[in-house]
Amino acid sequence: PALSKQILSLEKELGVILFDRNTTPLTLTAAGESFIHDAKEILFKEEELKRSMQDFKSGEKGRLVIGISPFRASYFLVDVIEKLHKKYPGLQVVLKESNSTQLQKDTIEGQVDITVMNLPVDEALLEVIPLPSEQVVLAVPKKFGDAFAGSKKLSDSEYSVVDLRSCKDIPFIALGKTQELRILFDKLCITAGITPNITTEVVGITTAWSLAQAEIGATVLPLSFIQGNKLCENMMIFSLENAATVRRPAIITRKGQHISKYAKEAIELIKNR
């Protein structure tokens, strides 16, 4: 009731109707949509003013909000955060972990200082700093090694290269169907003309990696994740024979957003990691 009174008071002050009360649930009128859009912009500018003033303060603890997926956060930013804390002991780093759709929305709305996510994004609203392409690889327990007897190492590849068609009978550990890495995996399987034998479905790449090491099945993971973890003797790593087996990560910010000294430092650390 208190909120309803405030809305009615605001509508009276503005001289327009913001909500269509003939619908269930309530919907915004055209004037309401415009009001919400402009109000968000005003709040964003207010937050930007506060952020820009933080750079002129001294002796206060800073705060840096980074948008990132939970899976990438588990291996991508560890060294970056460590270096940030060494340089700025009073800095609070907040990881806002979510899926790609929400990360892009949060960045557009100015809810984060910087975001690390895969392209493509809406470059009309976002500034993009591309990062090196991220290869995905196949992690397979050695007990399934007979399927890869004919694999060969290319001159420019660290690992032997395999075609997913040779994996059609191997049990797979896969992420959930809506997750970005799973979508990429499904596309690779379609290109290879196979229906993978998915025996286990998990939420996180760390879980997928642990189950693969327990010889439950094979899984597809980012190469950078593999390189950041100890490789067990019972595991084999293969490159995949498809040019689409890369992800294109980038650092993104909202266009026109103030970039704090902490955010600038984080951007440089991420670029040079």
Side-chain angles (χ1 to χ4, degrees):
L3 179 59
S4 296
K5 288 180 181 179
Q6 288 182 342
I7 292 172
L8 288 169
S9 176
L10 180 60
E11 288 178 327
K12 183 177 180 180
E13 179 184 347
L14 296 173
V16 296
I17 300 300
L18 300 176
F19 285 93
D20 182 352
R21 293 171 174 80
N22 295 318
T23 61
T24 304
L26 296 180
T27 57
L28 289 165
T29 63
E33 292 279 4
S34 178
F35 181 89
I36 290 293
H37 176 272
D38 291 345
K40 283 184 176 180
E41 287 299 306
I42 291 170
L43 291 173
F44 172 74
K45 290 297 183 183
E46 180 185 15
E47 186 61 29
E48 283 297 278
L49 179 60
K50 292 177 182 177
R51 286 176 177 172
S52 65
M53 291 300 101
Q54 286 294 330
D55 285 350
F56 293 95
K57 292 184 177 182
S58 60
E60 292 195 11
K61 293 182 179 180
R63 189 169 187 265
L64 175 66
V65 182
I66 302 175
I68 194 166
S69 71
F71 320 119
R72 185 171 270 130
S74 68
Y75 66 92
F76 193 85
L77 289 180
V78 175
D79 57 335
V80 171
I81 294 173
E82 181 182 9
K83 290 174 182 177
L84 283 170
H85 282 316
K86 283 183 178 179
K87 187 166 184 177
Y88 305 108
L91 177 64
Q92 179 190 30
V93 179
V94 179
L95 298 185
K96 196 165 187 180
E97 301 174 46
S98 192
N99 58 48
S100 297
T101 301
Q102 188 62 46
L103 287 174
Q104 184 167 193
K105 181 175 182 291
D106 288 343
T107 311
I108 290 172
E109 293 180 354
Q111 299 298 313
V112 295
D113 294 295
I114 62 173
T115 294
V116 180
M117 63 179 292
N118 290 328
L119 298 176
V121 297
D122 187 350
E123 296 191 34
L125 300 173
L126 299 167
E127 298 285 355
V128 174
I129 303 173
L131 296 171
S133 295
E134 191 174 53
Q135 183 183 358
V136 295
V137 293
L138 180 68
V140 189
K142 285 184 178 178
K143 74 176 186 179
F144 301 117
D146 291 346
F148 309 100
S151 62
K152 296 180 180 180
K153 183 177 290 188
L154 300 181
S155 58
D156 59 346
S157 176
E158 182 180 355
Y159 304 104
S160 296
V161 179
V162 297
D163 190 321
L164 271 178
R165 284 177 292 186
S166 62
C167 310
K168 60 184 178 65
D169 297 322
I170 293 176
F172 265 95
I173 303 155
L175 302 186
K177 292 180 180 179
T178 61
Q179 294 172 233
E180 185 180 345
L181 194 59
R182 170 63 181 275
I183 293 170
L184 174 58
F185 174 64
D186 288 344
K187 287 180 179 177
L188 292 172
C189 291
I190 291 170
T191 301
I194 68 165
T195 300
N197 177 25
I198 298 174
T199 58
T200 310
E201 191 171 279
V202 299
V203 173
I205 59 175
T206 303
T207 306
W209 175 236
S210 297
L211 292 175
Q213 290 181 101
E215 302 186 332
I216 302 299
T219 191
V220 170
L221 299 171
L223 176 58
S224 53
F225 174 83
I226 297 291
Q227 291 173 333
N229 287 271
K230 184 178 179 180
L231 186 62
C232 294
E233 291 183 359
N234 69 328
M235 295 298 296
M236 302 183 298
I237 305 299
F238 294 97
S239 293
L240 292 168
E241 195 183 63
N242 195 297
T245 58
V246 294
R247 304 192 301 174
R248 296 185 298 140
I251 303 168
I252 64 170
T253 59
R254 172 176 162 146
K255 284 190 173 179
Q257 179 169 309
H258 172 73
I259 307 298
S260 71
K261 64 180 181 181
Y262 307 117
K264 290 176 182 176
E265 183 74 23
I267 288 170
E268 289 305 310
L269 289 171
I270 293 170
K271 286 166 57 179
N272 297 319
R273 67 185 295 277

